[in-house]
């Protein structure tokens, strides 16, 4: 009996310790998430006090969390769309984005079409009641968001991408599709047009496969990509305001008119031709984690100086690279002949545990997206620094010498210190030698890097998206 009592006491003690471990990272995340909001508390409190729609949506998220008892990361459903909208968007887009955060909130993972339509109708009603302005474009956005979210859930099987990932990515893509107006920069037109073109090609291929299953891996699908994609790009990118209307001819002229752009392309080609074989040659002699982080650092080197030489050209290149990466993943995903199997073997050799969970390999898409968003939105290198330097140092240092783990996580305090130190030093170098962070003080840089590092060490959400979006939004709020 004594032994049973001792065992019972021990079990209760472990339970208490485990609970403390589980709660600890949530507290750290809350503290970091409150940072940028407290910095602009007067403006934020005004929005919270006057914006009924925001109050309702936050209330629905809180009710859902209490009712379902979902994991803490669910809070990012509303936090990230609101933070980015608050920092970068007008009032209309803020309303639409926070309503889109409700997508799939009260439906199950295997929800029927009727329940999904009911969820979409509920979003439209909420928007209509609490923000009855420009409803046609807003409803179009909600429908696009719903379709993209369902598409991501289907292809990722809610393994490669969970519901939160699908929700956040669908909001980003919907925002891209909703961009209209004469003042939209050319690089956003490129991103919007290329994404639409890729979706159209994928849709055509899907219809072909549906009617003839034998075409699933065939060369016909690859031929469609190679022929239809350039044609659609030429049609879907709206360069009507430019002297040269054809996007492809405009790009050729755009590159030819500047020696700096030609120099950048030659530099990129030289680095890639030299670097890729070296990584593959020494891959067997280094760990998987180190080989993955080398790619992060290489992208940092490829972009950080060229962006200062010609930011518009680098932005256009990034906006074209994202659809290219998606195309590569589409070919690998379907194993389309003759390159699909080889691509799958190559990319799987760099896949981590997250990529092994489902059919998609999303790490490199997360990486290019996380790097691009701050540069496109705010000319900010925080994505480059946090992923190319901070995340790489945190991972390598944490695995090599890390001993003290953050409570409730597998990440180490030593890794976080390396993240903060590395990103702070690089940020200061970029500030004084390349004129990045021209409107941000040294103290704000330290604050920004510290908050990003601590959040990276305590969150289970994919940090290739979370940290750049958090840091660029915080940078914008600190600046203004």
């Amino acid at each position: 009996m004594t032994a049973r009592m001792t065992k019972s006491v021990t079990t209760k003690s472990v339970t208490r310790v485990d609970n403390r471990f589980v709660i600890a990272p949530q507290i750290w995340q809350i503290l970091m998430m409150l940072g940028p909001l407290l910095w602009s508390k007067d403006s934020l409190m005004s929005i919270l006090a006057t914006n009924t729609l925001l109050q309702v949506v936050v209330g629905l998220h809180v009710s859902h969390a209490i009712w379902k008892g979902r994991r803490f990361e669910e809070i990012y459903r509303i936090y990230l769309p609101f933070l980015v909208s608050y920092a970068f968007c007008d009032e209309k887009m803020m309303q639409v984005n926070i309503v889109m955060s409700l997508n799939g909130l009260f439906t199950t993972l295997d929800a029927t079409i009727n329940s999904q339509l009911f969820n979409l109708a509920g979003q439209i009603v909420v928007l209509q009641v609490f923000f009855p302005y420009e409803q046609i474009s807003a409803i179009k956005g909600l429908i696009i968001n719903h379709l993209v979210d369902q598409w991501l859930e289907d292809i990722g099987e809610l393994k490669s991408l969970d519901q939160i990932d699908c929700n956040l990515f669908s909001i980003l893509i919907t925002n891209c599709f909703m961009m209209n107006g004469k003042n939209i920069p050319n690089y956003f037109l490129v991103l919007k047009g290329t994404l639409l073109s890729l979706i159209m090609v994928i849709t055509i291929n899907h219809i072909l496969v549906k009617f003839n299953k034998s075409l699933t891996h065939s060369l016909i699908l690859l031929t469609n990509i190679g022929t239809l994609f350039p044609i659609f790009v030429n049609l879907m990118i709206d360069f009507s305001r430019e002297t040269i209307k054809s996007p492809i001819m405009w790009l050729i002229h755009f590159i030819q008119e500047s020696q700096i752009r030609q120099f950048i392309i030659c530099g990129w080609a030289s680095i890639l031709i030299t670097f890729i074989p070296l990584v593959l040659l020494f891959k067997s002699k280094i760990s998987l984690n180190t080989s993955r982080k080398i790619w992060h650092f290489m992208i940092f080197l490829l972009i950080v100086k060229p962006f200062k030489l010609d930011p518009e050209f680098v932005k256009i290149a990034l906006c074209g690279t994202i659809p290219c990466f998606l195309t590569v993943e589409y070919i690998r995903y379907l194993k389309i002949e003759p390159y699909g199997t080889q691509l799958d073997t190559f990319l799987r050799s760099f896949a981590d545990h997250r990529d092994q969970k489902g059919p998609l390999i999303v790490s490199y898409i997360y990486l290019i997206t996380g790097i691009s968003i701050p540069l496109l939105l705010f000319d900010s290198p925080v994505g480059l620094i946090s992923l190319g330097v901070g995340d790489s140092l945190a991972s390598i240092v944490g695995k090599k010498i890390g001993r003290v783990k953050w409570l409730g996580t597998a990440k180490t305090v030593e890794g976080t210190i390396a993240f903060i130190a590395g990103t702070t030093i690089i940020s200061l170098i970029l500030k004084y030698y390349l004129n990045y962070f021209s409107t941000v003080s040294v103290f704000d840089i330290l604050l920004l890097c510290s908050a990003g590092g601590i959040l990276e060490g305590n969150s289970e959400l994919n940090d290739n998206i979370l940290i750049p979006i958090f840091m660029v939004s915080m940078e914008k709020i600190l600046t203004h």
Side-chain angles (χ1 to χ4, degrees), residues 230-294:
I231 293 173
F232 286 145
V233 164
N234 223 33
L235 294 174
M236 299 307 298
I237 299 179
D238 181 14
F239 270 7
S240 56
R241 67 191 180 194
E242 296 290 337
T243 305
I244 302 175
K245 309 300 181 184
S246 167
I248 295 175
M249 295 306 299
W250 178 89
L251 180 61
I252 294 172
H253 177 74
F254 185 67
I255 294 171
Q256 289 178 339
E257 70 180 6
S258 169
Q259 289 186 342
I260 290 178
R261 292 163 194 158
Q262 297 167 31
F263 172 76
I264 291 173
I265 291 175
C266 291
W268 284 344
S270 301
I271 292 174
L272 291 174
I273 290 172
T274 305
F275 193 82
I276 292 176
L278 285 176
V279 172
L280 297 177
L281 180 64
F282 292 102
K283 184 176 182 296
S284 60
K285 299 179 181 180
I286 57 179
S287 67
L288 172 63
N289 182 62
T290 302
S291 65
R292 284 168 55 84
K293 300 310 175 185
I294 287 174

Side-chain angles (χ1 to χ4, degrees), residues 420-469:
I420 295 171
T423 53
T424 301
I425 291 170
I426 295 298
S427 296
L428 292 176
I429 291 173
L430 297 186
K431 177 178 175 65
Y432 290 111
Y433 291 97
L434 287 179
N435 200 33
Y436 284 103
F437 300 112
S438 58
T439 58
V440 182
S441 68
V442 173
F443 175 77
D444 287 345
I445 287 176
L446 179 59
L447 186 66
L448 187 67
C449 295
S450 298
I454 294 173
L455 188 61
E456 189 272 342
N458 286 274
S459 173
E460 292 300 318
L461 204 66
N462 193 300
D463 48 26
N464 283 3
I465 290 293
L466 169 63
I467 304 306
I469 289 180

Side-chain angles (χ1 to χ4, degrees), residues 187-188 191 315 318-319 322 372-379:
Y187 48 86
F188 276 132
L191 180 60
K315 288 178 181 180
L318 288 171
C319 288
I322 293 173
S372 300
I373 289 173
L375 290 170
L376 298 177
L377 288 179
F378 200 48
D379 291 349

Side-chain angles (χ1 to χ4, degrees), residues 335-402:
K335 294 184 175 60
I336 298 175
E337 296 177 354
Y339 306 114
T341 303
Q342 289 83 350
L343 276 174
D344 183 61
T345 303
F346 175 75
L347 292 173
R348 285 287 177 194
S349 68
F350 291 96
D352 66 358
H353 68 282
R354 289 175 179 171
D355 292 324
Q356 302 292 357
K357 291 191 300 184
L360 299 178
I361 298 177
V362 294
S363 292
Y364 64 107
I365 297 173
Y366 272 120
L367 176 62
I368 193 66
T369 304
I371 284 171
S372 300
I373 289 173
L375 290 170
L376 298 177
L377 288 179
F378 200 48
D379 291 349
S380 172
V382 292
L384 281 170
I385 296 168
S386 61
L387 301 183
V389 178
D391 183 58
S392 301
L393 284 176
S395 183
I396 294 172
V397 170
K399 290 183 181 298
K400 295 289 185 182
I401 64 173

Side-chain angles (χ1 to χ4, degrees), residues 133-350:
Y133 309 105
E134 298 188 53
Q135 281 299 303
I136 294 177
S137 61
I139 291 173
K140 285 181 181 177
L142 292 178
I143 293 172
I144 292 171
N145 176 252
H146 182 80
L147 293 174
V148 172
D149 183 77
Q150 290 302 311
W151 180 59
L152 291 174
E153 289 187 9
D154 289 341
I155 62 173
E157 299 175 2
L158 288 174
K159 296 176 182 176
S160 303
L161 301 166
D162 62 19
Q163 270 198 328
I164 304 171
D165 294 327
C166 293
N167 190 249
L168 295 176
F169 260 117
S170 65
I171 291 175
L172 284 174
I173 293 172
T174 304
N175 275 249
C176 179
F177 288 160
M178 290 182 69
M179 289 184 297
N180 288 303
K182 296 181 179 180
N183 297 323
I184 297 176
N186 283 338
Y187 48 86
F188 276 132
L189 292 177
V190 169
L191 180 60
K192 179 179 179 180
T194 50
L195 284 176
L196 282 170
S197 301
L198 179 59
I199 289 174
M200 291 171 69
V201 173
I202 291 174
T203 302
I204 291 172
N205 282 349
H206 178 73
I207 293 171
L208 290 175
V209 171
K210 191 170 183 180
F211 283 101
N212 188 347
K213 295 292 185 183
S214 64
L215 296 177
T216 302
H217 310 293
S218 82
L219 187 61
I220 294 175
L221 301 186
L222 187 63
T223 303
N224 284 343
I225 296 173
T227 56
L228 294 179
F229 183 68
I231 293 173
F232 286 145
V233 164
N234 223 33
L235 294 174
M236 299 307 298
I237 299 179
D238 181 14
F239 270 7
S240 56
R241 67 191 180 194
E242 296 290 337
T243 305
I244 302 175
K245 309 300 181 184
S246 167
I248 295 175
M249 295 306 299
W250 178 89
L251 180 61
I252 294 172
H253 177 74
F254 185 67
I255 294 171
Q256 289 178 339
E257 70 180 6
S258 169
Q259 289 186 342
I260 290 178
R261 292 163 194 158
Q262 297 167 31
F263 172 76
I264 291 173
I265 291 175
C266 291
W268 284 344
S270 301
I271 292 174
L272 291 174
I273 290 172
T274 305
F275 193 82
I276 292 176
L278 285 176
V279 172
L280 297 177
L281 180 64
F282 292 102
K283 184 176 182 296
S284 60
K285 299 179 181 180
I286 57 179
S287 67
L288 172 63
N289 182 62
T290 302
S291 65
R292 284 168 55 84
K293 300 310 175 185
I294 287 174
W295 293 108
H296 287 222
F297 187 66
M298 184 187 72
I299 294 179
F300 172 82
L301 294 177
L302 286 171
I303 296 177
V304 67
K305 178 63 175 180
F307 188 82
K308 276 300 175 182
L309 295 176
D310 195 325
E312 185 180 5
F313 176 63
V314 174
K315 288 178 181 180
I316 289 173
L318 288 171
C319 288
T321 301
I322 293 173
C324 287
F325 276 26
L326 291 172
T327 303
V328 168
E329 179 57 19
Y330 174 66
I331 295 171
R332 185 215 62 82
Y333 173 74
L334 289 183
K335 294 184 175 60
I336 298 175
E337 296 177 354
Y339 306 114
T341 303
Q342 289 83 350
L343 276 174
D344 183 61
T345 303
F346 175 75
L347 292 173
R348 285 287 177 194
S349 68
F350 291 96

Side-chain angles (χ1 to χ4, degrees), residues 48-153:
L48 288 173
T50 59
N51 194 317
T52 308
L53 178 58
L54 178 60
Q55 296 168 3
V56 170
V57 172
V58 171
L60 289 172
H61 278 280
V62 172
S63 301
H64 173 262
I66 295 173
W67 178 39
K68 291 287 188 179
R70 292 293 182 90
R71 61 194 178 98
F72 179 80
E73 276 67 25
E74 288 276 338
I75 196 173
Y76 290 104
R77 275 181 182 265
I78 178 64
Y79 177 78
L80 288 180
F82 171 72
L83 186 66
V84 175
S85 300
Y86 175 71
F88 295 102
C89 299
D90 57 22
E91 185 182 7
K92 174 196 168 186
M93 282 308 301
M94 176 186 289
Q95 314 299 332
V96 177
N97 283 340
I98 61 177
V99 172
M100 285 192 291
S101 72
L102 295 171
N103 196 17
L105 195 68
F106 291 97
T107 56
T108 59
L109 299 184
D110 56 348
T112 63
I113 294 179
N114 287 337
S115 61
Q116 292 170 6
L117 291 175
F118 180 78
N119 182 264
L120 175 61
Q123 290 177 274
I124 294 174
V125 169
V126 169
L127 189 66
Q128 177 66 49
V129 171
F130 296 102
F131 193 74
Y133 309 105
E134 298 188 53
Q135 281 299 303
I136 294 177
S137 61
I139 291 173
K140 285 181 181 177
L142 292 178
I143 293 172
I144 292 171
N145 176 252
H146 182 80
L147 293 174
V148 172
D149 183 77
Q150 290 302 311
W151 180 59
L152 291 174
E153 289 187 9

